[in-house]
Amino acid sequence: MQLTLEAIARQIGGELHGDGATIIRGAATLADAQPGDLSLADDPRRATDVGRSAASAVITPPGFTPEGLPSIQVANVHEAFAAAVCLFRPPRARRRVGVSPQAIVSPSAVIAPEADIYPGAVIGDDVMIGPGCVIHSGACLMAGCKLGRDVTVFPNAVLYEDTVVGDRVLIHAGAVLGAYGFGYKTVDGRHMLSAQLGYVKIENDVDIGAGTTVDRGAYGPTVIGQGTKIDNQVMVGHNCRVGQHNILCAQVGIAGSTSSGRYVVMAGQAGVRDHVHIGDMAMIGPQAGVKDSLPGHARYLGSPARPERENALLWSSLAKLPELRKQVRALVKEVEELRLKKAA
Amino acid sequence: MQLTLEAIARQIGGELHGDGATIIRGAATLADAQPGDLSLADDPRRATDVGRSAASAVITPPGFTPEGLPSIQVANVHEAFAAAVCLFRPPRARRRVGVSPQAIVSPSAVIAPEADIYPGAVIGDDVMIGPGCVIHSGACLMAGCKLGRDVTVFPNAVLYEDTVVGDRVLIHAGAVLGAYGFGYKTVDGRHMLSAQLGYVKIENDVDIGAGTTVDRGAYGPTVIGQGTKIDNQVMVGHNCRVGQHNILCAQVGIAGSTSSGRYVVMAGQAGVRDHVHIGDMAMIGPQAGVKDSLPGHARYLGSPARPERENALLWSSLAKLPELRKQVRALVKEVEELRLKKAA
Amino acid sequence: MQLTLEAIARQIGGELHGDGATIIRGAATLADAQPGDLSLADDPRRATDVGRSAASAVITPPGFTPEGLPSIQVANVHEAFAAAVCLFRPPRARRRVGVSPQAIVSPSAVIAPEADIYPGAVIGDDVMIGPGCVIHSGACLMAGCKLGRDVTVFPNAVLYEDTVVGDRVLIHAGAVLGAYGFGYKTVDGRHMLSAQLGYVKIENDVDIGAGTTVDRGAYGPTVIGQGTKIDNQVMVGHNCRVGQHNILCAQVGIAGSTSSGRYVVMAGQAGVRDHVHIGDMAMIGPQAGVKDSLPGHARYLGSPARPERENALLWSSLAKLPELRKQVRALVKEVEELRLKKAA
């Protein structure tokens, strides 16, 4: 397939600069682009990258006209480029499958007629699935799960008994919601598992990454708040209350009974201990280790985590430590000399 | 459903304080409780939380009589509360399914008649499954696995060939036992995989968390000792010997050929290098990084991990570093002055 | 089964030292060996371990003749021992299953006749599978995936749409390739998911560990370079370009759009931020936190990661910090005395 740059400019609603007759055969990022490809540069600071790229044309923001290359200027570069990519590689149409006869579905499950249950998916007793839901192959919804509208459960994700999921939730492959909380009481040298009578509740518009695990509450719910986005391989312990619109990056771990406010961000591999609260809009840095409750509207770094500025001071002091030792050695010598002269 | 507080006190064997005619319609933790709910407070220090809760009654330990609220006093608050929760939300009865005709079972597998194999579970050649085992949907037991009695394998867990599992073991969803050990020898610039002739052995009364991985030994077993409890997303490398009654919290990583004694505890996100030994009763702190063998009966913190006290000293010294620099600057100035006067 | 040591020496092509009539009934590592077992000691420094072992004979390198125990000396001890293990515990023969009638296979998939698709595996629309591939039970290849020759996909691994896999690739259980990249734009307080139009490309001779996740690119591929080996529970973000022959140990996390050169090694639990480059042959230490691009041919430790030597200096300065504080206290006192005498 091929299109003129002019035709593309028209379709994505951008302003053409340079030769509109340029033939475009694909769309790729600057690093990947081959001759014949349309690319994107979302910032004039990427001019050098544009110069190095083999792309035949670029989509740019208004006012950024790279030298020696035709461009299409649009307000939203990424949206326009995504549209261009779809011209050359149209996304797969969602195929309606209904309830596949190869799915394993309990007779007591209630499934909206507009839902798709793929072959090999497992739907337990009393499960309720709303309209627009897609349950992929190998996903397992154990007894009593309740899903709202337009929820997608990717292959091999597992929802333990009585998991409650709102609307427009994405649950990626291999995620596990509702496994037992890690609570033990040691009696006569044996670790006895605590009560597992709670469940997991995922509110509306939440994304759950691949391989992420959220444990069930002891007596009530472990909650992921509305609009919160969770990356891959994140661990949320039992009884946690993750607030609304949080961003939890990959490999974050949150121990039991901890809660967070609104718009909290936790960077990759950060860890938070049990039974603490992270305030609204707090940002926890990568690999940070939180061992106390933290006020909101602030950034925290390091393990143990401290306010960003305090952490920066500590590290700059550290960097000067060898110099400091040199100074002290010199002082010891000078003072010794002064004392000797005195004594003389 | 509703019960009087008196009826509940009788059923859970507790001592009623206050109005026994109080009507109870549910059970929830203090934070979640609504009017009509019974809650719990396991310590008199939680009196303020009780005051703030909307609960209509609480279960408390003997001698803790919260003001203005009827209570039931019992020795084991958590056990009694769990019983109360079950009155209002009875747990699902375990449904016997036997060997589901929708399971995929090798003709050479030997399955005790009292085991349940759910639809979509996969049982390989020569697998042996003891009485009371429950193999959930999508779980896959590859050829030669041997399970004792009362083992539960949750959905989509995978046991590679020849995994040996004792009695009363829980293996949560998405756990993987027996994948290849990460050992390579680089020959002519190519990484060649080492021998994978061993297997994984899980002793009695072990719990394995969701998404946890235990790799097979090179020639013999990787062992998880009796009574050890492993949280979600833990990694245990090939040839490891995890001792008895250990507690490994979420996202812990243990590299190959490392061993631990009895009652070792590793907190969340701790890492231990290969070929070391952690002594009995050692406690490794959160995010700690262990790079040497460690004696038992001690606590270790930090990365690299050091004894707790040493680590505390180091951090308190660090905290005073900016002040130390100030002192040294002042000293330099004073000594300079002294020298000038001397010279004068 | 039992063999004489002489017979084993002949079969594995080694030089017999000591009593060739010794009866051998099994093969185990020094720690595990029982009387009647053949063991291995790959280094003369392991002589003490040999002395303590219950083994009846050992395989050793040329010139290492342990006292009081017959031995077989060979150039490649591990290869010879692996062969000996296989004599006593022959590996399971690979059973050809073809396309199992219990697999779920789209009619539009193209599967080479020499491939094995196990019962319960799921093969989506337009998937292409080359000769020698083995797709285990519960593995799910979504629409448009393309696999070369001799690829093994272990149980319950998931390949999202359009994943491209080269030849001789191992994908372990529970791995997830191609889940959505974690990119959001916050509009009016809501996190909006970025474009997910790319895919994952795994080059030849790559191993992917259990539970590892590699996210799809935004517009183009996320690439794992030829010969790279990835351990369990590793996270590779969207748009990353992992170079050739890298070694990524367990629980490593690499954020989006980061790239690495050839022969890079990342130790366990290391983290690398987004949009940086790690040069050829760089070694990133365990739990290191990389926040900038790093030149190759060097070792880096710590969080934040610094060159090995710099990191060592910092930690040795730190260790002397309490002593330094003592010195400064003494100096303050001496200078005070000097000043007083002066004033007197």
Side-chain angles (χ1 to χ4, degrees), chain B residues 67 70 99 126 132 146-147 184 207 249 336:
Chain B
E67 268 180 75
V99 178
D126 307 322
K146 289 192 179 47
L147 277 61
Y184 294 90
D207 295 356
C249 297
E336 181 68 2

Side-chain angles (χ1 to χ4, degrees), chain B residues 53-328:
Chain B
S53 174
S56 293
V58 281
I59 300 178
T60 57
F64 174 20
T65 313
E67 268 180 75
L69 211 59
S71 59
I72 300 174
Q73 297 183 7
V74 293
N76 190 328
V77 171
H78 282 274
E79 203 180 277
F81 184 69
V85 169
C86 291
L87 290 175
F88 294 100
R89 274 191 279 140
R92 285 173 192 282
R94 179 181 158 190
R95 193 156 63 81
R96 284 297 321 269
V97 298
V99 178
S100 162
Q102 286 172 286
I104 297 163
V105 179
S106 161
S108 62
V110 178
I111 300 175
E114 305 85 350
D116 287 331
I117 315 293
Y118 274 68
V122 179
I123 312 295
D125 297 344
D126 307 322
V127 168
M128 297 180 60
I129 296 180
C133 287
V134 181
I135 313 299
H136 282 276
S137 300
C140 178
L141 279 53
M142 294 175 78
C145 289
K146 289 192 179 47
L147 277 61
R149 308 179 141 263
D150 299 315
V151 172
T152 301
V153 183
F154 283 96
N156 293 349
V158 176
L159 281 60
Y160 276 57
E161 285 90 348
D162 300 312
T163 300
V164 176
V165 179
D167 299 336
R168 296 170 305 279
V169 168
L170 294 180
I171 300 171
H172 279 281
V176 178
L177 307 182
Y180 292 0
F182 196 66
Y184 294 90
K185 192 177 167 179
T186 306
V187 179
D188 296 333
R190 297 169 64 102
H191 307 305
M192 312 302 293
L193 188 63
S194 58
Q196 303 291 341
L197 302 169
Y199 57 98
V200 166
K201 183 181 180 190
I202 309 290
E203 295 183 356
N204 295 340
D205 299 302
V206 166
D207 295 356
I208 304 275
T212 281
T213 57
V214 181
D215 281 354
R216 73 198 303 106
Y219 303 117
T222 301
V223 180
I224 307 295
Q226 183 173 328
T228 285
K229 310 298 182 181
I230 303 185
D231 200 355
N232 299 349
Q233 300 184 32
V234 169
M235 164 62 181
V236 179
H238 61 290
N239 300 339
C240 281
R241 304 287 170 119
V242 175
Q244 295 185 4
H245 306 294
N246 284 204
I247 295 277
L248 307 185
C249 297
Q251 297 178 324
V252 157
I254 306 181
S257 300
T258 278
S259 59
S260 63
R262 292 161 56 89
Y263 293 99
V264 170
V265 176
M266 302 192 193
Q269 298 185 332
V272 182
R273 68 159 293 167
D274 56 307
H275 289 92
V276 298
H277 179 75
I278 312 294
D280 290 353
M281 315 273 300
M283 294 199 53
I284 313 292
Q287 297 188 326
V290 175
K291 52 173 213 163
D292 295 295
S293 288
L294 295 177
H297 301 278
R299 303 163 68 98
Y300 301 91
L301 291 172
S303 173
R306 13 173 102 59
E308 189 177 30
R309 203 183 122 76
E310 206 179 291
N311 189 69
L313 260 172
L314 188 142
W315 283 100
S316 77
S317 292
L318 266 178
K320 283 162 188 154
L321 196 49
E323 189 198 333
L324 187 69
R325 289 175 60 205
K326 232 182 272 177
Q327 278 185 299
V328 171

Side-chain angles (χ1 to χ4, degrees), chain B residues 125-126 138 144 156 160 162 184 189 191 197 213 215 219 233-234 241 252-253 270 288-289 303 320 334, chain C residues 32 78 81 89 92 95 154 156 172-173 205 207 229-233 245 251 263 269 287 315 325 339:
Chain B
D125 297 344
D126 307 322
N156 293 349
Y160 276 57
D162 300 312
Y184 294 90
H191 307 305
L197 302 169
T213 57
D215 281 354
Y219 303 117
Q233 300 184 32
V234 169
R241 304 287 170 119
V252 157
S303 173
K320 283 162 188 154
E334 281 189 70
Chain C
D32 288 335
H78 283 273
F81 184 68
R89 273 191 280 138
R92 285 175 191 282
R95 195 156 62 79
F154 283 96
N156 293 350
H172 278 281
D205 299 302
D207 295 356
K229 309 300 181 181
I230 303 184
D231 200 354
N232 299 348
Q233 300 185 32
H245 307 293
Q251 298 178 323
Y263 293 98
Q269 298 185 332
Q287 297 188 326
W315 282 100
R325 288 176 60 204
R339 203 174 35 201

Side-chain angles (χ1 to χ4, degrees), chain A residues 149-170:
Chain A
R149 307 178 141 262
D150 298 316
V151 172
T152 300
V153 183
F154 283 96
N156 292 349
V158 176
L159 281 61
Y160 276 58
E161 286 90 349
D162 300 312
T163 300
V164 176
V165 179
D167 301 335
R168 295 172 305 278
V169 168
L170 294 180

